Amino acid sequence: MTRSQQVSTAARSFLSCAILIASLFFNVVPRLHAEDEDMDRCQRRVAHADHELHEAIEKHGRHSRQADHERRELHEARERCWREQHRWWDEHEHRWRTEHDWDEHDHDHD
């Protein structure tokens, strides 16, 4: 193989690698961004439901019909996160949890 053929082969290999890396980058980055948006949406949904439960408890009492409704809403928000992300947002500890271990009555102990 001549020197020019070696350079040509190396250039084609380099170009192929560059195209492969670019295509991976443009396919992976949007997917990661979408996952971040899904996690943000999930976190906001749980935080909102948690806030609504606190409001219902404060306004109507821990064992009120309104508080029970908001507990169900919080449960649904956590379940949705779990189904979609296999994690759920713990608003009290401000962190993601990876165990399906929330306490349905955690607000009864506040």
Side-chain angles (χ1 to χ4, degrees):
M1 184 177 281
T2 67
R3 175 89 173 126
S4 66
Q5 288 175 326
Q6 288 175 338
V7 170
S8 178
T9 301
R12 278 196 301 265
S13 294
F14 177 78
L15 184 58
S16 295
C17 283
I19 290 170
L20 178 63
I21 290 169
S23 69
L24 288 174
F25 178 78
F26 288 111
N27 285 321
V28 170
V29 169
R31 206 171 311 129
L32 291 175
H33 182 68
E35 287 176 13
D36 286 346
E37 286 179 0
D38 290 343
M39 285 178 34
D40 288 346
R41 221 178 351 263
C42 186
Q43 180 181 351
R44 283 191 307 271
R45 195 177 296 118
V46 170
H48 177 75
D50 188 85
H51 174 76
E52 292 294 314
L53 176 53
H54 279 278
E55 291 288 315
I57 289 170
E58 187 176 303
K59 195 172 193 176
H60 304 285
R62 284 190 195 284
H63 306 292
S64 66
R65 177 178 47 82
Q66 294 88 344
D68 287 342
H69 170 77
E70 297 304 335
R71 272 187 199 87
R72 287 189 300 275
E73 292 293 319
L74 178 57
H75 173 80
E76 285 303 314
R78 288 171 172 170
E79 280 291 340
R80 184 171 178 183
C81 284
W82 185 257
R83 276 192 316 271
E84 294 173 359
Q85 304 290 325
H86 300 289
R87 64 179 88 188
W88 61 280
W89 178 252
D90 186 333
E91 183 62 14
H92 292 270
E93 293 187 19
H94 294 281
R95 70 182 183 103
W96 287 101
R97 306 280 297 254
T98 57
E99 298 293 324
H100 193 280
D101 62 351
W102 60 82
D103 177 3
E104 295 297 333
H105 300 284
D106 57 351
H107 290 77
D108 297 342
H109 313 296
D110 288 347

